Amino acid sequence: MRHQDIPYSVLLTETLRLLPRFLLLILVLALAYAVAHVVLGYSNVAAVVVALFFALVFFVAPMAASSGRARRGVRLFTRSGLKTLLFCFAWGGIVVAGFVATLQVWQGMDASVMDYAVAIAAGGACCALMAAIPSR
């Protein structure tokens, strides 16, 4: 069996190809929350939309990596499989760091470097674990 390699550029391209679908979903949910704000008087609509944005962007890379790995027939515990997990770890860490930074700036949350490190490690690990789930 020949070893199939998945370059990082392919992983990033597949992730960015899937991202507009998720952004469309975020837009629809944002409009629904805006209507709920006007009709029902819900507050903190912007906070919910921002949280949804980060949550859905977090899931894009594991879904793209898992489906790309399944399409190419790459097993998880190979060099390419571990490369997809590393990509998802980095993606998850960046998204979680962006979320913490948003909370820090917008909501006035105190965050130290250690808080960022723990959040990045936990977010990256969760993202990599989700990418390990097989999809077909």
Side-chain angles (χ1 to χ4, degrees), residues 30-118:
L31 289 174
Y33 273 100
V35 168
H37 175 67
V38 170
V39 174
L40 302 173
Y42 287 151
S43 61
N44 294 333
V45 175
V48 171
V49 171
V50 170
L52 283 172
F53 170 77
F54 281 107
L56 290 175
V57 169
F58 182 81
F59 288 108
V60 172
M63 290 179 66
S66 183
S67 66
R69 207 178 65 243
R71 271 195 314 263
R72 290 177 179 245
V74 174
R75 295 187 181 269
L76 182 62
F77 296 110
T78 61
R79 182 173 290 180
S80 289
L82 294 176
K83 188 187 279 189
T84 61
L85 295 181
L86 181 62
F87 173 78
C88 290
F89 182 87
W91 181 273
I94 290 169
V95 171
V96 168
F99 183 66
V100 171
T102 302
L103 288 176
Q104 188 175 8
V105 170
W106 189 21
Q107 300 292 324
M109 181 186 89
D110 292 332
S112 66
V113 174
M114 184 56 116
D115 294 332
Y116 275 97
V118 169

Side-chain angles (χ1 to χ4, degrees), residues 3 8 20-22 24 27 36 65 81 84 90-91 100 114 119:
H3 176 69
Y8 287 118
R21 294 178 191 168
F22 278 78
L24 181 64
L27 180 65
T84 61
W91 181 273
V100 171
M114 184 56 116

